[in-house]
Amino acid sequence: MAAYILRRLVSTVAVMAIVGIFIFLLLRLAPGDPAAIIAGRSATEEIIAGIREQLGLNDPMPVQFLRWVRDMLGGDFGTSIFAGRPVLELISQRLEPTLSLSILTMILAVTVGVSFGILAAWRTGGIVDRLLAAFSALGYSVPVFVSGYFLIYFFAIRTHWLPVQGYVPIDSGLGPWFVHLILPTVALSLAYIAFIARVTRASMLEVLSEDYMRTAAAKGASSYAMLFHHALKNAGVPILTVIGISFAYLIGGVVLTETVFNIPGIGRLVVDAINNRDYPIIQSVLILTSGLYVLVNLTIDLAYTLIDPRIRY
Amino acid sequence: MTLLSAPVEAVPMGRLQLSYLPRLARRHPLVLIGGGLLVLLIILALAAPLYAGDPVNIDPFKRLEPPSAEMWFGSDNLGRDVFARTIFGARISLMVGLISAACAAFAGLLIGVIAGYSRSFDNVVMRVMDGLMSIPTILLAIALISLTGPGIGILIVAIAIPETPAVARLVRSVVLSVRERPYVEAALCGGARLPRVLWRHILPSTIPALMVQGATVCASAIMTEAGLSFLGVGVPPEIPSWGNMISSSRLYLAIAPLTIFAPGICLAVTVLAVNLFGDGLRDMFDPRTRRRR
Amino acid sequence: MPISRRNLFKAGIAAGTALSIPSVLRAQTMPTAARTVRMVKEDLRVFDPIWTATNITADHGMAIYDTLFALDSKFKPQPQMVGKWGVSDDKKTYTFELRDGLGWHDGTPVTAADCVASIRRWGQVAPGGQLLMEQARDISKKDDKTFTIALKEPLGLLIDILADLTPPCLFIMREKDASLSATEQVSTRIGSGPFKFNEALLRPGASYTYDRNEQYVPRKEAPDGFAGGKVVKVDRVVWDNISDQQTAFAALQAGEIEFLQHPPVDFFSVIESDPNLELPVLDRTGKDMLLRLNFLQKPFDNVKARQAMLHLIDQEAFMRVMVPDPKYVTTVTSIFGDETLVSNDENTGWYKKGGDPEKARQLFKEAGYAGEKVVILQSTDWAASNNGSQFLAAELRKIGVNAELAPSDWGGLTTRRANKGPVENGGWNMFITSEADYSLGNLLATPLLLANGDKAWYGWPKNDEYEALRAKWASVETLEERKALARKMQGIWWDFVGDVRLGKYIEPIAHRKTITGLIGMPQIVPMWNMQKTSA
């Protein structure tokens, strides 16, 4: 067990090292020069060259890489080339909108998705199951920027029920904050609802077909007790896994959603940074998101071995 | 889009037997519906030059016109025919989707089979795969595309690379379980050479899982292409693609909603078709579903 | 006069807020919504207005820094920080004395040493400043409030150069900031201007906050352009960065913001019909769109091919693609911009209308064009370049030119345009850019009108005859002489076709009617004198 955990940790470090080298190389090999962007549209070449030198972009790549790794291990994620502020500070400023959107999305996706999954598993092949299957197929297939614009058109532009776009910080009032997040949350949740509903249904069916469930049914357990007491409890592990992975994966959808609804979150930060070639921001966001993903995965794997003694590695 | 690949069971699904296909398809209408829709879309896309008009002609004096007999869906902000662009957009979506899925499936298969057989290779390569998987698809793709600037070739590569690890993992797990099977061990003991065993016994058993996963990859590749184009880093703006159309028409949602809805609906329908096809395949190959029915 | 306890209390608060309470607290509690103006401009990515030459950073500079001289609405330089100034009889030594009451936001007074350091730093990068540094024998402070500029030869344009509003403008910074190299960013934001930058409310990429500088002593004259008294009539100005135009416009309609610098062209009619909104033009001089051609590579190394482009381009159609509202668009044929003091019509008759594809096709043939790839650099994150390049490619293909778009974001474009090699090695043939019409009238402000080959701006046009004339520009004494010189230069320019003009665009801004007193000048939107009335 301890050996397994150790091995898992080592491989996690290896993965992160690979990711780090990969991200660094990717960015430095890409053409595009932050110095030229800083200098402005009609700047001359000498001025641009001067700025490049000052930013340390002329140093050899290994030097830049080692400097980056050293600083990062010391908790210093660098300074934005443009804003001249620490990257961590910029990220923390953008964290609130992204977290708000992510958390609301997960709440909606989990409650609706799990309920749909249970409903569908309750009467397999029934009308409810079929309707939910159709909904889930659709939810799975509509990209967030398509559903987003449909929602905006019908619920904001035509009816004026909800704001078109934008974000209001939570300390400016819970009401406006929530109202601005309704459409983005719904748009982003669709795919996750579909996903979680599917997994829930599949795991529930798996459990329901186990022998002990048949026994319970034969003994006359109510269908309520069957579903919630026995089945859901046992189906919980895969469902939790999926929720964990979804959360770690949310950032991709967040990039698009923040663009559609103009939410000043991490997604916008990194897309703008890529346009500006603001390397420290791009590197840090990529390394942090992939770190989060790896961490979630690690936690899930370790939790597995603790929860379910049958799992051996 | 974030690519939540729908769970595909990593169990080997038995060998595909072609003679069962028609009967299975009748039992699994999703394959027919999804596949049929997909074939129809492909035909419509291929025949586009015959009926759809010119998708790239710019007419600065005919901007944002409402639908008319001449231009069924009206014109966009550069005076281009929205109907023609929507139809031609299907070509890009399907092409990018299918080719990147094929690339990812092939690369994943190669890596997965070798990883499933070679312990040392496995350790290194699967860590790289883990690393790739941990970077959000869309961000990884954007970073890859910034290497060369927008273009179809780099786009396909940028979509295929983040999709490869999932395929590789799946194939690897199938290989790992198949190689313990008695008939494989028997073949090896009987003196058959490894490549031959791989080719004859192991490869075929990965095909069902690969097809199901391929459909998932294809659907998400189509969505990723559209998403990247929507963010302005996908297909070059000149080429009509659904993501491009939505991106360049964002401003006109209130004035000319069709400029966004037409490509949006087509995109959703296409992805739906691929997903239904994939779901159908999954049901068809999954021994447990077969047992239940 | 007896002082009541209440007044004493008030005085104490006033003194306390000014001296002891940290500016953070004061800033967060004082201004009310009624005295706060919210504007949407572009994203202020960089804060140092010398390090970067973008307009938005110049706007920021104009808010927090002050200038020695300033242009009035007739573009004549007037003293701003300078109180008295004079020039010696041999016209080679200028003496400047700062006016009273100038102080930095950190409480220290502005000194002549600050000015000297600022001039030197700006002189490293601004084209006019570089000329000044070449001509200067000595720039030094005499006492705390006086400094001199001693020249090798008389420089009639000196004051115009100091007052020029083409970024990077000569903003006066503290000596310790200005002693950095011009290629290194100043990291503090302390100026002596009419606004103070609110550090506590800074959200890079999201919002930037400016508070009225209570200590600022404006000049007595009425405001006129950037000259005259800079009296701030609001407590606070916030720049919100809303990158999506649709959202920004919705926010303006809803009254969440009061000022939108770049309203979407297709919404002009909606703005005009909205009783709460106005659509005035602040910058009457506008922006010229230009097409740069690469002189070093085929086919545009041949003058015939460049002439072909002049015949091909139909400015009206191009501007319709780039800026769809004809009301705000004009054609432009003078290399010095459409409405500057030296604009003229020399040597423009022969191609004037453009839009002649047959003539263009023939000229390409005469240039020996044989179907080589012609690469157009297209910036996908700048709508005018994105759309204009697509149209350009379509027009070129119609006359049999093998045009190929090379799309990238502006960042990618800046790398590729520096490549002087052939297109097979990652070079290029043309790209669209823009320059303020006003700046094109001032050879000392824009690098776009150089024709000295390798040293010229991207495209590297080369013409020795033209360069010989350009060398005389700074020493010409009167406007009449300069106009005559400009005509000669333009005559040559259009013969060798240094670039191609696509048209001029005058961009209106949109604001709510509650905002009054906006000052209309090119390039920069000053925020003093602006008022906000209730509803």
Side-chain angles (χ1 to χ4, degrees):
Chain A
M1 187 67 196
Y4 166 70
I5 293 177
L6 190 70
R7 203 149 43 85
R8 200 66 185 68
L9 285 175
V10 169
S11 85
T12 301
V13 171
V15 167
M16 289 312 296
I18 289 168
V19 171
I21 295 173
F22 183 76
I23 290 173
F24 183 83
L25 280 182
L26 195 61
L27 292 179
R28 295 307 152 105
L29 292 178
D33 185 349
I37 303 172
I38 286 163
R41 195 157 279 159
S42 46
T44 57
E45 278 177 63
E46 297 133 63
I47 294 174
I48 294 172
I51 294 176
R52 198 179 301 128
E53 182 65 42
Q54 285 292 349
L55 292 174
L57 296 172
N58 283 348
D59 296 343
M61 279 224 238
V63 174
Q64 294 188 42
F65 179 71
L66 289 178
R67 198 190 304 147
W68 178 50
V69 172
R70 187 195 64 207
D71 292 350
M72 208 162 46
L73 292 178
D76 175 5
F77 281 77
T79 307
S80 156
I81 292 177
F82 282 81
R85 288 275 178 130
V87 170
L88 277 187
E89 181 189 318
L90 297 182
I91 292 179
S92 65
Q93 283 177 355
R94 302 298 194 91
L95 213 52
E96 186 200 306
T98 301
L99 273 184
S100 303
L101 177 62
S102 307
I103 291 173
L104 283 187
T105 299
M106 284 321 286
I107 292 176
L108 185 68
V110 170
T111 46
V112 178
V114 172
S115 330
F116 278 9
I118 295 173
L119 267 180
W122 175 43
R123 291 271 182 272
T124 329
I127 180 83
V128 178
D129 187 21
R130 275 160 198 260
L131 273 180
L132 290 176
F135 169 82
S136 123
L138 205 63
Y140 214 72
S141 307
V142 185
V144 62
F145 53 95
V146 173
S147 55
Y149 282 119
F150 270 87
L151 291 171
I152 290 174
Y153 187 73
F154 290 106
F155 294 100
I157 292 182
R158 295 302 292 270
T159 56
H160 298 288
W161 288 344
L162 291 166
V164 176
Q165 289 160 342
Y167 175 78
V168 174
I170 201 160
D171 57 12
S172 306
L174 209 59
W177 169 81
F178 184 70
V179 166
H180 278 84
L181 280 171
I182 294 177
L183 291 185
T185 302
V186 172
L188 183 56
S189 324
L190 285 179
Y192 293 91
I193 292 176
F195 183 47
I196 293 174
R198 274 182 185 213
V199 175
T200 307
R201 175 181 179 274
S203 328
M204 293 287 284
L205 286 181
E206 194 103 337
V207 177
L208 286 173
S209 64
E210 300 273 344
D211 290 341
Y212 67 88
M213 290 306 289
R214 296 190 187 167
T215 319
K219 281 186 173 171
S222 72
S223 57
Y224 175 86
M226 291 263 301
L227 279 176
F228 290 93
H229 197 73
H230 300 288
L232 189 58
K233 220 164 88 185
N234 285 294
V237 175
I239 295 175
L240 278 180
T241 311
V242 162
I243 292 170
I245 290 178
S246 308
F247 201 77
Y249 245 132
L250 212 53
I251 184 77
V254 164
V255 172
L256 289 166
T257 315
E258 288 182 355
T259 305
V260 172
F261 291 94
N262 195 60
I263 297 170
I266 305 278
R268 290 301 312 160
L269 180 74
V270 68
V271 171
D272 289 345
I274 288 174
N275 283 338
N276 289 342
R277 306 287 187 276
D278 201 334
Y279 301 132
I281 296 184
I282 316 173
Q283 286 165 353
S284 308
V285 172
L286 286 183
I287 204 94
L288 287 176
T289 49
S290 75
L292 178 72
Y293 178 86
V294 169
L295 205 67
V296 168
N297 263 320
L298 180 68
T299 318
I300 291 170
D301 283 359
L302 295 183
Y304 261 171
T305 52
L306 296 180
I307 294 170
D308 191 339
R310 281 171 302 178
I311 298 175
R312 282 273 176 275
Y313 290 87
Chain B
M1 259 321 280
T2 46
L3 304 168
L4 314 158
S5 27
V8 177
E9 281 76 11
V11 292
M13 294 169 179
R15 294 182 59 185
L16 180 66
Q17 281 171 317
L18 284 175
S19 55
Y20 284 154
L21 269 179
R23 193 156 54 92
L24 285 174
R26 242 177 290 127
R27 283 203 200 154
H28 300 281
L30 283 187
V31 177
L32 277 190
I33 298 173
L37 204 52
L38 207 54
V39 170
L40 183 72
L41 282 166
I42 292 174
I43 292 172
L44 281 178
L46 287 179
L50 300 179
Y51 66 100
D54 186 349
V56 290
N57 184 41
I58 297 174
D59 187 343
F61 300 98
K62 274 193 183 165
R63 304 176 63 253
L64 297 173
E65 295 207 338
S68 64
E70 188 198 350
M71 290 190 281
W72 293 358
F73 292 170
S75 63
D76 72 1
N77 60 323
L78 294 181
R80 294 174 297 198
D81 183 348
V82 174
F83 175 74
R85 288 181 77 70
T86 307
I87 297 296
F88 274 88
R91 299 178 138 207
I92 297 300
S93 271
L94 290 167
M95 183 180 82
V96 172
L98 291 172
I99 297 182
S100 4
C103 291
F106 182 74
L109 180 67
L110 207 65
I111 295 171
V113 167
I114 301 177
Y117 243 96
S118 153
R119 201 90 202 139
S120 50
F121 184 80
D122 185 36
N123 263 331
V124 178
V125 166
M126 289 320 282
R127 291 299 79 75
V128 175
M129 293 290 118
D130 287 348
L132 281 181
M133 257 185 131
S134 74
I135 307 174
T137 310
I138 205 139
L139 296 184
L140 178 57
I142 294 174
L144 280 169
I145 286 166
S146 68
L147 283 175
T148 64
I152 302 262
I154 183 74
L155 182 66
I156 288 172
V157 173
I159 294 173
I161 287 182
E163 300 287 353
T164 303
V167 182
R169 273 190 174 183
L170 179 73
V171 171
R172 173 178 166 272
S173 63
V174 174
V175 172
L176 282 180
S177 64
V178 172
R179 72 172 190 184
E180 309 296 333
R181 291 280 166 91
Y183 65 91
V184 176
E185 286 184 354
L188 278 172
C189 290
R193 286 216 314 273
L194 185 64
R196 190 179 151 78
V197 174
L198 283 175
W199 180 251
R200 281 291 302 274
H201 299 289
I202 294 189
L203 216 53
S205 61
T206 63
I207 284 178
L210 203 59
M211 281 179 74
V212 175
Q213 184 69 15
T216 313
V217 170
C218 181
S220 78
I222 291 174
M223 287 215 257
T224 308
E225 179 273 309
L228 289 170
S229 299
F230 171 71
L231 290 174
V233 294
V235 176
E238 193 187 17
I239 299 174
S241 107
W242 294 331
N244 275 347
M245 293 175 71
I246 296 175
S247 170
S248 64
S249 302
R250 297 169 60 181
L251 203 49
Y252 313 108
L253 180 61
I255 309 170
L258 256 185
T259 53
I260 285 189
F261 289 172
I265 291 172
C266 287
L267 176 57
V269 168
T270 307
V271 178
L272 183 67
V274 178
N275 273 336
L276 288 181
F277 185 65
D279 287 353
L281 286 180
R282 188 198 324 277
D283 289 351
M284 206 165 93
F285 292 136
D286 186 343
R288 280 165 307 174
T289 343
R290 250 183 290 170
R291 215 188 312 132
R292 258 201 304 276
R293 288 195 183 240
Chain C
M1 196 178 82
I3 300 174
S4 75
R5 267 181 64 180
R6 211 170 130 214
N7 277 345
L8 191 65
F9 183 61
K10 263 161 91 183
I13 287 187
T17 46
L19 298 174
S20 63
I21 299 184
S23 61
V24 181
L25 285 177
R26 202 166 71 234
Q28 279 171 345
T29 48
M30 263 178 30
T32 61
R35 292 181 57 82
T36 299
V37 175
R38 302 193 83 92
M39 306 173 108
V40 168
K41 296 152 94 79
E42 297 148 48
D43 187 13
L44 176 65
R45 295 180 301 199
V46 178
F47 298 100
D48 180 346
I50 306 299
W51 197 48
T52 187
T54 54
N55 282 0
I56 182 73
T57 304
D59 269 16
H60 161 84
M62 200 52 113
I64 69 166
Y65 298 109
D66 213 341
T67 57
L68 295 174
F69 289 85
L71 294 181
D72 64 17
S73 55
K74 310 260 179 344
F75 304 130
K76 282 184 61 178
Q78 305 289 350
Q80 181 56 263
M81 292 169 82
V82 168
K84 281 182 287 186
W85 66 281
V87 57
S88 64
D89 292 338
D90 64 358
K91 297 199 172 156
K92 285 188 186 171
T93 305
Y94 287 73
T95 307
F96 304 94
E97 190 189 312
L98 296 174
R99 67 185 173 93
D100 290 329
L102 301 175
W104 299 110
H105 299 158
D106 63 8
T108 55
V110 177
T111 67
D114 296 318
C115 301
V116 170
S118 297
I119 291 173
R120 289 184 183 283
R121 183 165 189 260
W122 161 84
Q124 295 169 30
V125 285
Q130 287 169 336
L131 180 81
L132 169 62
M133 298 313 283
E134 278 166 29
Q135 304 270 321
R137 203 162 38 78
D138 177 54
I139 302 175
S140 58
K141 73 165 204 170
K142 287 284 157 283
D143 58 50
D144 270 358
K145 294 182 71 175
T146 320
F147 66 97
T148 57
I149 298 179
L151 299 164
K152 295 173 193 154
E153 296 296 325
L155 183 58
L157 286 170
L158 177 69
I159 304 299
D160 296 75
I161 291 173
L162 295 179
D164 194 73
L165 54 73
T166 304
C169 314
L170 174 51
F171 293 114
I172 301 302
M173 299 179 173
R174 294 182 302 173
E175 187 179 12
K176 67 172 166 182
D177 294 331
S179 55
L180 287 177
S181 150
T183 51
E184 193 172 348
Q185 178 166 212
V186 170
S187 57
T188 57
R189 289 162 278 267
I190 291 177
S192 64
F195 285 90
K196 285 185 180 180
F197 191 78
N198 188 324
E199 298 285 344
L201 296 182
L202 167 61
R203 299 284 176 275
S207 81
Y208 309 88
T209 303
Y210 299 86
D211 292 329
R212 180 175 58 204
N213 176 6
E214 307 283 351
Q215 279 77 38
Y216 186 77
V217 182
R219 296 183 73 93
K220 296 286 176 286
E221 299 93 337
D224 179 15
F226 298 130
K230 301 178 180 180
V231 180
V232 177
K233 298 176 176 174
V234 295
D235 288 345
R236 172 175 284 179
V237 180
V238 180
W239 297 0
D240 286 317
N241 178 36
I242 304 183
S243 54
D244 186 282
Q245 287 188 302
Q246 161 103 37
T247 318
F249 179 64
L252 180 73
Q253 277 187 311
E256 289 161 18
I257 60 166
E258 280 105 9
F259 178 100
L260 179 57
Q261 189 154 1
H262 304 291
V265 182
D266 287 286
F267 293 173
F268 284 178
S269 56
V270 184
I271 297 172
E272 280 165 342
S273 62
D274 189 320
N276 295 316
L277 302 181
E278 274 184 272
L279 190 72
V281 171
L282 291 184
D283 175 3
R284 301 197 172 281
T285 60
K287 263 200 168 90
D288 288 21
M289 306 298 300
L290 309 95
L291 182 63
R292 293 295 285 195
L293 305 172
N294 187 346
F295 273 57
L296 303 181
Q297 298 299 333
K298 278 189 157 197
F300 297 116
D301 57 342
N302 186 316
V303 66
K304 287 248 158 82
R306 299 197 296 268
Q307 286 169 350
M309 292 310 294
L310 275 185
H311 283 285
L312 178 68
I313 301 293
D314 173 0
Q315 293 196 5
E316 268 178 40
F318 261 90
M319 291 310 285
R320 191 63 75 89
V321 168
M322 294 189 280
V323 182
D325 193 327
K327 250 197 322 198
Y328 295 94
V329 165
T330 46
T331 56
V332 49
T333 50
S334 175
I335 67 168
F336 298 104
D338 191 40
E339 274 181 39
T340 63
L341 293 173
V342 286
S343 300
N344 65 78
D345 59 358
E346 183 74 18
N347 197 17
T348 55
W350 57 278
Y351 75 91
K352 195 147 194 167
K353 190 69 189 77
D356 185 353
E358 278 320 305
K359 179 81 183 163
R361 187 200 298 268
Q362 187 201 329
L363 279 167
F364 263 112
K365 214 163 135 197
E366 286 172 25
Y369 177 74
E372 301 97 341
K373 208 155 61 172
V374 169
V375 171
I376 306 168
L377 300 184
Q378 173 190 26
S379 166
T380 51
D381 52 353
W382 177 29
S385 163
N386 187 2
N387 296 337
S389 304
Q390 289 183 54
F391 189 52
L392 181 62
E395 294 293 292
L396 280 168
R397 284 174 195 147
K398 278 184 198 157
I399 61 165
V401 173
N402 180 15
E404 188 179 285
L405 290 169
S408 68
D409 52 19
W410 180 258
L413 193 153
T414 56
T415 308
R416 187 156 181 192
R417 71 175 181 189
N419 186 331
K420 290 178 176 164
V423 292
E424 292 77 27
N425 301 341
W428 56 276
N429 295 111
M430 42 173 118
F431 71 90
I432 293 174
T433 188
S434 72
E435 178 68 299
D437 194 75
Y438 165 84
S439 300
L440 288 168
N442 181 358
L443 267 184
L444 301 176
T446 179
L448 269 64
L449 289 176
L450 307 181
N452 46 356
D454 276 357
K455 292 207 186 72
W457 205 64
Y458 303 95
W460 311 284
K462 184 165 174 54
N463 186 287
D464 298 336
E465 199 187 343
Y466 173 89
E467 281 297 296
L469 292 175
R470 190 175 69 84
K472 296 182 185 162
W473 185 271
S475 52
V476 162
E477 300 259 323
T478 66
L479 180 60
E480 283 319 306
E481 283 174 82
R482 205 177 309 145
K483 279 183 174 169
L485 181 63
R487 286 192 79 89
K488 274 197 226 160
M489 289 173 67
Q490 177 166 322
I492 300 169
W493 182 275
W494 283 143
D495 278 344
F496 76 88
V497 198
D499 63 15
V500 175
R501 303 299 155 110
L502 302 174
K504 188 179 89 163
Y505 168 38
I506 294 174
E507 186 181 32
I509 59 104
H511 67 80
R512 294 188 68 81
K513 290 209 170 128
T514 50
I515 302 295
T516 57
L518 288 167
I519 293 174
M521 285 294 277
Q523 305 265 26
I524 294 170
V525 181
M527 304 193 291
W528 60 85
N529 201 51
M530 176 172 69
Q531 266 181 302
K532 184 175 174 182
T533 55
S534 47

